[in-house]
Amino acid sequence: MTQDKTGGSGAAFTDTVQTMLIKRLDGVKGLLSCERLTAGANKETYRIVVATDQGERRLAMRRAPGGVSVPVVAGNAGLLTEAKLFHCAREAGVPEPEVFFVLDPEDGLGEAFVMEWLDGETLGARIVRSEALAAIRPQLAYQCGQILARIHAIDVKKAGLDKALDTMLPADLVEQTWDRYRELKTPQPMIDYTARWLRDHLPKQAGAALVHSDFRNGNIMVGPQGVVAVLDWELAHIGDPMRDLGWICTNSWRFGQSDLPVGGFGHYEDLFRGYEDVSGRRVDREHVKFWEVYGSFWWAVGCLRMAGHYRSGYDKTVERLAIGRRSSECQVDCVNLLIPGPVTLVEAPPADGSSEMPRLDELVVSVRDFLRGEVMNGTKGRMNFLARVAGNSLDIVLRDILVGDRHRQLERERLQRLLDTEGDLEYLRWRLVNGLRDGSVPLDRSGLGEHLRQTVVNQTAIDQPNYSGYITALKGGC
C-alpha cells in the first residue's frame, strides 16, 4: 500500500510516480511505497521503495513544492541546479548520492529529480551524542575539512555552474542581511553592533569558489564510517570559501557541545588540517572567525524573520514565534566572540506573597503543565512537538514575569548613562541603534560593550537559559 502526504490525490500521485519509475529506471516492476518525509516549504523529499527483479530497492526524490517551478531568488539555487551540484560534487570525490535522472515535463510530476537512497544519521543532536557514532566522531572534523576542500576545488566554469549560481561577495552578504533586519523595524543594538564589526573586518583575500553555504551539522549524513553525504545545496553560490568553514563552527550548530567548535564533534585544528591536507592552502583562523561571527549574525536575523512571518500571517504557528525568541541565542554568541567579559545576572525578587487567587504566574503554570502533561501524553508527531514548543514559550513568559521588568529597568538606566539623555526604553534603544547605523556611536565607546553584554546575556537568561552560549557567557565568554 502506498503513502502520499502531499495533500493531493494519493492514488493519482502514486500511480504517476510508478509509471514514471517503470519507464525511466531499468528493472523496476512496481511501486511499493512513496512516503513524503518533510513538509518543507522549499523542497519536498520522498522515500520511495520499488520492486525489482533483484528484490526491493529504495530511492529518493526531491521535488519542487507541488511540482511547480518557482522563480529562483538571489542566493538560492533552483532545484535543477541542485541536481547538478549533487552530480558535480560526487564527481569531485565528495560523498553524495548518485542522481539517476531529472524528470521531464511529460513525466507529469513537475520539477523533480530521482537519486540514490543512502542510510545514515542527519539529526545534529544525535550525531553529537549517539553511542553508535562514538568511534567515528573524533574523525569527523578532519573529514569535513577534506570534503570542503574538494567542494571548493570544483571548476565552476568547466562544470557550467558559473552561469547557474550567483556570485556573492562578503560585503554584499553583510549588507543584504543587515537590510533584511532593518526591514523588521525592531531595535536590537547587538545586531547593529555586529554588522558594524563585520563591515569593519571584511576579508581582504576573499577568493571565489563554489560555496555550499549551509555546510553544518544537520546537513551532513553520518554513518559509522564517517560522512555519508552532503545534503541541502539550496543556498550554494560562488564566493568566499572560508564561509563554509566558519558556518560549521557557528555555535548554533554545536547542539550543546560548545567545547567542540566544529559541529559539536571536533576541533578547529582538525578541520583546518583536513582542509590544508587536500587543498595545500593554509587556513587563516581570523578569516574563519569573520564567517563564524557572520553565521551568528545571519541566524540572529533569520530568527527574527520567523517572528515576522507570524505577524504577517504567512505562518501563524506557535513554532514561528518561539524561533523568534531564539535570536538572543545568536546574539549572545556574538557577545562571546566580540565583547566577552564579566556579567551580572538580574536577581529574582522575593516570592510573591500576593493573596490574589489565582495569580498570573499560576495561570501560566497551569496551562504549561496541561500542555506538557495531558496534551503531550495524548498526541504524537507534529502536534506533540508543537505542544512542547508551546510549553517552552510559556516558560519564557514565566521567567519574564519574574525578572523582565527589573531587567528592562536596568537596561534603560545603562542607556541613559551611555547616551547621556533621558527617555523611555524604546526611544533609547532606537537612539543607540541609529547611532550605530550612522556611525555616530563608535564601537569602542566607553561602556558600550559592557551595556550590550549585560543586556544580551540577561535577555538570554529569560529566553533560553539552557543554551550553551549563555552558559559560556556566564564564564566570561570565548
Side-chain angles (χ1 to χ4, degrees), residues 127-128 130 133-144 222 224 226 260 262 264-267 269-271 273:
I127 289 172
V128 301
S130 171
L133 301 174
I136 195 62
R137 260 196 299 274
Q139 302 175 45
L140 291 179
Y142 182 80
Q143 287 187 11
C144 287
V222 177
L260 296 171
V262 182
F265 50 67
H267 298 281
E269 293 77 14
D270 293 326
L271 176 73
R273 182 166 53 87

Side-chain angles (χ1 to χ4, degrees), residues 98-171:
E98 179 183 358
V99 175
F100 296 128
F101 57 86
V102 174
L103 274 63
D104 295 326
E106 54 266 30
D107 289 318
L109 290 165
E111 197 170 90
F113 62 89
V114 173
M115 59 185 173
E116 175 186 12
W117 178 270
L118 296 175
D119 288 314
E121 184 58 72
T122 58
L123 294 178
R126 292 182 185 170
I127 289 172
V128 301
R129 294 181 178 88
S130 171
E131 283 299 318
L133 301 174
I136 195 62
R137 260 196 299 274
Q139 302 175 45
L140 291 179
Y142 182 80
Q143 287 187 11
C144 287
Q146 292 179 305
I147 289 168
L148 286 173
R150 294 188 181 106
I151 290 173
H152 299 158
I154 293 173
D155 189 327
V156 292
K157 289 187 177 180
K158 184 177 180 180
L161 292 170
D162 60 323
K163 297 179 176 61
L165 297 175
D166 293 318
T167 296
M168 306 186 76
L169 301 176

Side-chain angles (χ1 to χ4, degrees), residues 69 120 242 245 248 269 290 294 296-297 335 337 405 431:
S69 177
M242 292 299 104
L245 277 76
I248 195 174
E269 293 77 14
F290 171 89
Y294 174 83
S296 291
F297 165 71
V335 166
L337 288 164
D405 286 345
R431 180 78 176 264

